[in-house]
Amino acid sequence: MFVRNAWYVAATRQEVSDKPLARTLLNEPVVLFLNGQAEICALEDRCCHRGAPLSLGEVTSAGVRCGYHGMEFDRSGRCVDIPGQERIPARAAVRSYPVVAKGDYVWIWMGAADKADAADIVDYPPEGDGWPCANDMLHLKASYIMVLENLMDLSHLSYLHRTSIGSSENDSAKASIDVRRTDRGMRFLRVMRNADAPANWTKRYPTGPKVDRWSDFEYVAPSTIKQYSGGVNAGEYDAGVREGAHLVRTLHAVTPETEKSCFYFFNKADGYARFEPPGTERTWKSTTDVFKEDAFMLEQQQLRMENFDEGRLMDINTDVARVQMIRVLKERLSQEQPSQEMAGAK
Amino acid sequence: MFVRNAWYVAATRQEVSDKPLARTLLNEPVVLFLNGQAEICALEDRCCHRGAPLSLGEVTSAGVRCGYHGMEFDRSGRCVDIPGQERIPARAAVRSYPVVAKGDYVWIWMGAADKADAADIVDYPPEGDGWPCANDMLHLKASYIMVLENLMDLSHLSYLHRTSIGSSENDSAKASIDVRRTDRGMRFLRVMRNADAPANWTKRYPTGPKVDRWSDFEYVAPSTIKQYSGGVNAGEYDAGVREGAHLVRTLHAVTPETEKSCFYFFNKADGYARFEPPGTERTWKSTTDVFKEDAFMLEQQQLRMENFDEGRLMDINTDVARVQMIRVLKERLSQEQPSQEMAGAK
Amino acid sequence: MFVRNAWYVAATRQEVSDKPLARTLLNEPVVLFLNGQAEICALEDRCCHRGAPLSLGEVTSAGVRCGYHGMEFDRSGRCVDIPGQERIPARAAVRSYPVVAKGDYVWIWMGAADKADAADIVDYPPEGDGWPCANDMLHLKASYIMVLENLMDLSHLSYLHRTSIGSSENDSAKASIDVRRTDRGMRFLRVMRNADAPANWTKRYPTGPKVDRWSDFEYVAPSTIKQYSGGVNAGEYDAGVREGAHLVRTLHAVTPETEKSCFYFFNKADGYARFEPPGTERTWKSTTDVFKEDAFMLEQQQLRMENFDEGRLMDINTDVARVQMIRVLKERLSQEQPSQEMAGAK
């Protein structure tokens, strides 16, 4: 069960070219490409004639020509040429999806086209900040909801990411968490004061052994999280000192492929990297490495949850943000499909 | 859903030897072999004792002995030996299938044995023509119906086979197509006049740049197509000139393995090859190469059609033969299973 | 369908260490390990918080700490620590399973814990016999029932194991078989008199070309078989001569993973090996090699039985023990699940 009236990241901008890209999104086969006018096109990847994938066809000026019997479709999905036939019936068409290039991504709207408003796409990265950033993607055999939940309970950093970005268990247990609803989702602020600097930091930042760390996560339903994290020397956070702070922004965009698989796009903008010499690519690589620790856990968790009633699980204190996030997601799902149960969401 | 009262190619003659060959046909496990009398045997590949595959057993004079507990079956499927037991109950038997060697193939009848008449097997190649021929087989993860449909709409040559045997799109669009019913199926004749010679031809034949091409395809329901194709220099077709013509005969025999997979046997007899020096094997190889272009498309098409309602597709002009073929196939299916819908055919 | 109130081999003792072992048993994910007190623990391999596998966590003094958000469980399955939370609710627990180390194995009880009595675990090997023994395991894509059935009809030795441990077909056909019920299952004694010595024997034992062989198999329902086999020179068996006999004991323990897969543990104790020089490991290897012949057949048999009605198979004389074994197993299954049909057992 998916929220359909929403913008999802379909691909990075680099992925969309004049060579068709086939990708299943929300259980639907989609083909993405630039037509001969360099316009972004997103069509149902299934010709209306015999069901052949248009992604095996050839990009044309208007759109794409099927590689099987040659029907051509423009970017609206309308058939504009049927070889050997003058008349083109009205039903000769495939579904097209609204798409918008914004930030580093191509965003797609899988629901009712008349409800699509590009202004709803999250702003990221903030215009003009000039921070170096890079993105990557992991294709996971896990529900997109599990990925979002992972990001909503940062207590996992002390266990799953102990040797990389994790705080000590003790520091994590003492973290304060404030959660609030927003117009478009919810937001939490998690602060650890006077905590041990994590392993990955001390290799790179001129911090002392003790730091204040904060994580400000904004969930924009159904499937996007904007993260603003930072760290300063212990005692500086409450004093409002941000000079020399370690500041990171990350966009997390999790697009369902099926109920049990998703594309996890992430884009990290590093405020500190402004001051660093070239060679900072290791930062990006280390982000992917950390997220691969999540990936393995999430795929195993997915296997354990199949044929298992989620109602038998229990919430703990650290779930406060996750529980709120699920509530928001349930509301969005029920708005579209009032009669369906959340149980089917995974 | 399959037509059962029909002859299907089970294997090439070379494939059937005293080493048992296991092959699933129309969803049934079958074992094919020559017994000690060199008779072709086709039995259910599942011992009636404990279900072990007889294909793991040992060929005997009469038939095959199961490799698990030693029951022996003759070519009629009757058990002729039970180790440690004198009496052989009547129900000690596995299903046997009528089989006939004809042409390069072993043909099998998967329906009611009393309806099997070897005279119904298609003649191919015509006796005494002496044309060099060769066969090959592709095991496809696609419905056998999709393979037949592929052959019934030759407009795909201009797109899927553009760089090999395809005509120009323009020539293809102008092709004439005549379709007629036959006693055992249907037949179409497609003629392209004054067309560009295809890429594969000009490498080999002394044709001019413009040719007349024809394709005469006879569908013998449910699963066999006899193809007679040819080409002459432009203008010669209607004048009846066949001297020096490029003539090809191909048998296409598509045997269902399951609803979603099949064995595609093809046998190409090349009239032109009579005049050629040795080394003509490349001709056969190029046929397989071309059909692999189909194979990839068909398997992708199959994936796109799963969980998709075929009723949402649309026919175009070039489907005239395909539509007729499907009508014939539906009739055959409904004759055997009056209450079933064609929807279940794939 | 499985008998749950029974002891199954979960693992060899060597397999259970302070590194968690994940294994699905009777369709349930289980994690096995030694906690910091060196106590054997068997817990549900799914954290009660978010369903993460505990096998990805870290062994502690009391039990295991989940590697995702850090909940710790003791060997009873009770949660003893929730990071960031004082109160531990009563429902914070995962299922724990009674486990006992006995012989070379760790045995597990997957049913009602209050019915578990370690005294019911089979004795093997007999204490104090001092015979060299070794064990191995095959992970099979076949029903555990098929593995048990394989052992209950030794006529398969002449066919499936012809070149290794099999007797001649003729000797096998003349074997006497006595079957009787026991308190905990059934037992059969199969004797072949004046039979050809099998291939594997003559390489190793000082037997003549003709031998008396016996196999005494005790089935302890639902899933364990104790085998006592032996051989003497022809004529000696009925005369009671056991001096210099070839004596083998084997424990067969077949633990269901799913309905269609199992772990086949076997442990062979070789009385003859006492007299042999070092280097006898080849004996153990040859046992595994022989059982791999079974494994291949069983997995193929499993495939042939899927979507096939077992009622269409037939019993023969050599099934006398197998039929009795299935009767016992059915009784055990119906005791636990009176309303279920045996048809669902596979």
Side-chain angles (χ1 to χ4, degrees):
Chain A
M1 199 162 73
F2 309 117
V3 175
R4 303 198 71 86
N5 290 323
W7 291 102
Y8 289 95
V9 168
T12 63
R13 291 177 83 141
Q14 300 98 301
E15 286 181 304
V16 180
S17 71
D18 57 3
K19 187 177 173 328
L21 171 71
R23 186 160 278 171
T24 296
L25 303 174
L26 285 69
N27 277 336
E28 295 185 14
V30 176
V31 55
L32 296 148
F33 58 95
L34 298 178
N35 68 9
Q37 315 298 317
E39 297 166 311
I40 303 173
C41 305
L43 300 178
E44 180 182 358
D45 192 22
R46 181 169 41 212
C47 182
C48 64
H49 173 217
R50 298 305 305 150
L54 297 178
S55 52
L56 296 182
E58 192 172 76
V59 167
T60 63
S61 174
V64 66
R65 184 179 296 281
C66 181
Y68 200 0
H69 302 97
M71 282 174 75
E72 183 185 4
F73 302 87
D74 69 13
R75 66 188 293 248
S76 75
R78 198 168 53 90
C79 179
V80 294
D81 185 38
I82 303 180
Q85 183 167 336
E86 290 287 318
R87 202 179 68 81
I88 299 178
R91 68 178 294 220
V94 295
R95 186 170 177 185
S96 71
Y97 302 91
V99 273
V100 173
K102 186 170 179 183
D104 287 346
Y105 296 107
V106 171
W107 301 77
I108 194 167
W109 181 272
M110 304 290 290
D114 60 348
K115 296 188 177 171
D117 181 352
D120 290 337
I121 299 173
V122 298
D123 281 314
Y124 181 89
E127 299 296 341
D129 67 5
W131 293 10
C133 69
N135 61 58
D136 206 345
M137 187 265 277
L138 292 171
H139 185 182
L140 300 185
K141 291 196 183 78
S143 157
Y144 75 102
I145 301 178
M146 285 185 177
V147 181
L148 294 170
E149 290 181 319
N150 169 281
L151 293 161
M152 285 289 130
D153 185 354
L154 297 184
S155 74
H156 81 270
L157 271 63
S158 301
Y159 304 95
L160 189 51
H161 307 307
R162 176 178 303 168
T163 59
S164 52
I165 59 170
S167 318
S168 79
E169 300 175 25
N170 195 39
D171 292 335
S172 181
K174 290 186 298 187
S176 70
I177 308 177
D178 292 303
V179 182
R180 61 186 169 87
R181 291 291 292 258
T182 64
D183 286 350
R184 304 179 61 192
M186 45 75 67
R187 191 163 184 158
F188 76 81
L189 176 65
R190 182 175 186 263
V191 184
M192 283 183 291
R193 291 170 177 82
N194 198 32
D196 295 333
N200 273 12
W201 285 22
T202 50
K203 294 180 200 160
R204 197 170 160 226
Y205 301 98
T207 58
K210 289 289 185 181
V211 294
D212 293 339
R213 294 178 70 177
W214 68 94
S215 294
D216 180 358
F217 279 55
E218 182 186 359
Y219 171 58
V220 180
S223 211
T224 315
I225 293 171
K226 293 162 76 173
Q227 170 187 349
Y228 307 87
S229 293
V232 286
N233 283 312
E236 295 180 345
Y237 179 77
D238 288 326
V241 177
R242 297 294 179 271
E243 184 73 22
H246 164 218
L247 296 174
V248 165
R249 294 166 182 163
T250 306
L251 179 73
H252 308 266
V254 193
T255 306
E257 179 184 46
T258 67
E259 283 78 4
K260 296 179 181 178
S261 60
C262 65
F263 301 99
Y264 176 19
F265 296 92
F266 45 90
N267 187 309
K268 184 175 173 182
D270 188 326
Y272 188 81
R274 290 170 295 172
F275 313 119
E276 288 196 313
T280 320
E281 296 97 58
R282 62 179 163 79
T283 316
W284 318 127
K285 186 181 169 306
S286 80
T287 300
T288 300
D289 287 346
V290 169
F291 289 3
K292 281 181 181 169
E293 294 175 334
D294 295 296
F296 183 68
M297 177 63 82
L298 289 164
E299 293 190 344
Q300 292 292 315
Q301 183 192 10
Q302 174 74 42
L303 291 175
R304 291 302 185 284
M305 292 307 298
E306 285 177 20
N307 305 315
F308 185 76
D309 173 16
E310 192 176 348
R312 292 171 58 191
L313 300 180
M314 60 172 288
D315 297 332
I316 59 177
N317 287 359
T318 58
D319 285 308
V320 56
R322 188 188 66 73
V323 167
Q324 189 66 260
M325 189 271 302
I326 289 292
R327 193 168 299 148
V328 170
L329 177 57
K330 277 188 188 183
E331 288 171 10
R332 282 293 298 267
L333 285 165
S334 64
Q335 281 163 17
E336 290 194 6
Q337 298 152 320
S339 64
Q340 295 188 39
E341 292 295 312
M342 182 64 184
K346 290 196 180 180
Chain B
M1 198 161 73
F2 309 117
V3 175
R4 304 198 72 86
N5 289 324
W7 291 101
Y8 290 95
V9 169
T12 63
R13 291 177 83 143
Q14 301 98 300
E15 287 181 303
V16 179
S17 71
D18 57 1
K19 186 176 174 329
L21 171 70
R23 185 160 279 171
T24 296
L25 303 174
L26 285 68
N27 277 336
E28 296 185 14
V30 175
V31 55
L32 296 149
F33 58 95
L34 298 178
N35 67 8
Q37 316 298 318
E39 297 167 311
I40 303 172
C41 305
L43 300 178
E44 179 182 0
D45 192 22
R46 179 168 43 212
C47 182
C48 65
H49 174 217
R50 297 306 305 151
L54 296 179
S55 52
L56 296 181
E58 193 171 74
V59 167
T60 64
S61 174
V64 65
R65 185 179 295 283
C66 180
Y68 200 1
H69 302 97
M71 283 174 75
E72 183 186 3
F73 302 88
D74 68 14
R75 66 187 294 248
S76 75
R78 199 167 54 90
C79 179
V80 293
D81 185 36
I82 303 180
Q85 183 167 334
E86 292 285 317
R87 202 178 69 82
I88 299 179
R91 69 177 294 221
V94 295
R95 184 167 179 188
S96 71
Y97 302 91
V99 274
V100 173
K102 187 169 178 183
D104 287 347
Y105 296 106
V106 172
W107 301 78
I108 194 167
W109 181 272
M110 304 290 290
D114 59 349
K115 296 187 178 172
D117 181 352
D120 291 338
I121 299 173
V122 298
D123 281 315
Y124 182 90
E127 298 296 340
D129 67 4
W131 294 9
C133 69
N135 60 60
D136 205 346
M137 187 264 278
L138 292 171
H139 186 182
L140 301 184
K141 293 197 183 78
S143 158
Y144 75 102
I145 300 178
M146 285 184 176
V147 180
L148 295 170
E149 290 180 318
N150 170 281
L151 292 161
M152 284 289 131
D153 185 354
L154 297 183
S155 74
H156 81 270
L157 271 64
S158 300
Y159 304 95
L160 190 51
H161 307 307
R162 176 177 302 168
T163 59
S164 51
I165 58 170
S167 317
S168 79
E169 300 176 26
N170 194 39
D171 292 334
S172 180
K174 290 186 298 186
S176 70
I177 309 177
D178 292 303
V179 182
R180 60 187 169 87
R181 291 291 292 259
T182 62
D183 285 350
R184 306 177 61 192
M186 44 75 67
R187 190 162 185 160
F188 76 81
L189 175 67
R190 182 175 187 263
V191 183
M192 283 184 290
R193 291 170 178 82
N194 198 32
D196 295 332
N200 272 13
W201 284 22
T202 50
K203 292 180 202 161
R204 201 173 157 223
Y205 301 97
T207 58
K210 289 290 184 180
V211 294
D212 293 340
R213 294 179 71 179
W214 68 93
S215 295
D216 180 357
F217 277 56
E218 181 186 359
Y219 171 59
V220 181
S223 211
T224 314
I225 292 171
K226 293 162 76 173
Q227 169 186 351
Y228 306 86
S229 293
V232 286
N233 283 313
E236 295 180 343
Y237 179 77
D238 289 325
V241 178
R242 298 294 180 270
E243 183 73 24
H246 164 220
L247 296 173
V248 165
R249 294 165 182 163
T250 307
L251 179 73
H252 308 265
V254 193
T255 305
E257 179 184 46
T258 67
E259 283 77 5
K260 296 178 180 178
S261 59
C262 65
F263 301 99
Y264 176 19
F265 297 91
F266 45 91
N267 186 309
K268 182 175 173 183
D270 188 324
Y272 189 80
R274 290 171 294 172
F275 312 118
E276 287 197 314
T280 319
E281 296 97 59
R282 60 180 164 78
T283 315
W284 318 126
K285 185 180 169 308
S286 80
T287 299
T288 301
D289 287 346
V290 169
F291 289 5
K292 280 181 181 168
E293 294 175 334
D294 295 296
F296 183 68
M297 177 63 83
L298 290 164
E299 295 189 344
Q300 291 293 315
Q301 183 191 10
Q302 175 74 40
L303 291 175
R304 292 301 184 285
M305 291 308 297
E306 285 177 20
N307 306 314
F308 185 76
D309 173 15
E310 192 177 346
R312 291 172 57 191
L313 300 180
M314 60 171 288
D315 297 331
I316 58 177
N317 286 359
T318 57
D319 286 308
V320 56
R322 188 188 66 73
V323 167
Q324 189 66 259
M325 190 267 309
I326 289 292
R327 193 167 298 149
V328 171
L329 178 57
K330 277 189 189 181
E331 287 170 10
R332 283 292 298 269
L333 284 164
S334 64
Q335 281 163 18
E336 290 193 6
Q337 298 152 322
S339 64
Q340 295 188 39
E341 292 295 312
M342 182 63 185
K346 291 196 178 178
Chain C
M1 199 161 75
F2 309 116
V3 175
R4 303 198 71 86
N5 289 324
W7 291 102
Y8 290 95
V9 169
T12 63
R13 291 177 83 142
Q14 301 98 301
E15 287 181 303
V16 179
S17 71
D18 58 2
K19 186 176 173 331
L21 171 71
R23 186 158 278 171
T24 296
L25 303 173
L26 286 68
N27 278 336
E28 296 185 14
V30 175
V31 55
L32 296 149
F33 58 94
L34 298 177
N35 68 7
Q37 314 299 316
E39 297 166 313
I40 303 172
C41 304
L43 301 178
E44 179 181 0
D45 192 20
R46 179 168 42 211
C47 182
C48 64
H49 173 216
R50 297 304 307 150
L54 296 179
S55 53
L56 297 181
E58 193 172 76
V59 167
T60 63
S61 175
V64 65
R65 184 178 297 281
C66 182
Y68 199 1
H69 302 98
M71 282 173 77
E72 183 186 4
F73 302 89
D74 69 13
R75 68 188 292 249
S76 77
R78 200 168 52 90
C79 178
V80 293
D81 186 38
I82 303 180
Q85 183 166 336
E86 291 287 316
R87 202 180 69 83
I88 299 179
R91 69 178 293 220
V94 295
R95 184 168 178 189
S96 71
Y97 302 91
V99 273
V100 173
K102 186 168 177 183
D104 287 346
Y105 296 107
V106 172
W107 301 77
I108 194 167
W109 181 272
M110 304 290 290
D114 59 348
K115 295 187 178 172
D117 180 351
D120 290 337
I121 299 173
V122 298
D123 281 315
Y124 182 90
E127 299 295 341
D129 67 5
W131 294 9
C133 69
N135 61 59
D136 206 346
M137 187 265 278
L138 293 171
H139 186 183
L140 300 185
K141 293 197 183 79
S143 157
Y144 75 103
I145 300 178
M146 284 183 177
V147 181
L148 295 169
E149 289 180 320
N150 170 280
L151 293 161
M152 284 290 131
D153 185 353
L154 297 183
S155 74
H156 80 271
L157 272 64
S158 301
Y159 304 94
L160 189 51
H161 307 307
R162 176 178 301 168
T163 59
S164 52
I165 59 171
S167 317
S168 80
E169 301 176 25
N170 194 39
D171 292 336
S172 181
K174 290 185 299 184
S176 70
I177 308 177
D178 293 303
V179 182
R180 60 187 170 88
R181 292 290 293 258
T182 63
D183 287 350
R184 305 178 61 190
M186 45 76 67
R187 190 161 185 160
F188 75 81
L189 176 65
R190 182 174 187 263
V191 183
M192 283 184 290
R193 291 171 177 82
N194 198 33
D196 295 332
N200 273 12
W201 284 23
T202 51
K203 294 181 201 160
R204 196 170 161 226
Y205 301 98
T207 57
K210 290 289 185 180
V211 295
D212 293 340
R213 293 178 71 178
W214 68 92
S215 294
D216 180 357
F217 277 56
E218 182 185 359
Y219 171 59
V220 181
S223 211
T224 314
I225 292 171
K226 293 163 75 174
Q227 169 186 351
Y228 307 87
S229 293
V232 287
N233 284 311
E236 294 180 345
Y237 179 76
D238 289 325
V241 178
R242 298 294 180 270
E243 184 72 24
H246 163 221
L247 296 173
V248 165
R249 293 166 183 162
T250 307
L251 180 73
H252 308 267
V254 193
T255 305
E257 180 184 46
T258 68
E259 283 78 5
K260 296 179 181 178
S261 60
C262 65
F263 302 99
Y264 176 19
F265 296 92
F266 45 90
N267 187 309
K268 183 174 174 184
D270 189 324
Y272 187 81
R274 288 170 297 172
F275 312 118
E276 288 197 313
T280 320
E281 296 97 58
R282 60 179 164 78
T283 315
W284 317 127
K285 185 179 170 308
S286 81
T287 299
T288 300
D289 287 345
V290 169
F291 289 4
K292 280 181 181 170
E293 295 176 332
D294 295 297
F296 182 68
M297 177 63 82
L298 290 163
E299 294 190 343
Q300 292 291 316
Q301 182 190 11
Q302 174 73 43
L303 290 175
R304 291 303 185 285
M305 292 309 297
E306 284 177 21
N307 305 315
F308 185 76
D309 172 16
E310 192 176 349
R312 291 171 57 191
L313 300 180
M314 60 172 289
D315 297 332
I316 59 177
N317 286 358
T318 58
D319 286 309
V320 56
R322 187 188 67 74
V323 167
Q324 189 67 257
M325 189 270 302
I326 289 292
R327 193 168 298 147
V328 171
L329 178 57
K330 278 189 188 181
E331 288 170 11
R332 282 293 297 269
L333 284 165
S334 64
Q335 282 163 18
E336 289 194 5
Q337 298 152 320
S339 65
Q340 296 188 36
E341 293 294 313
M342 182 62 184
K346 291 197 181 180

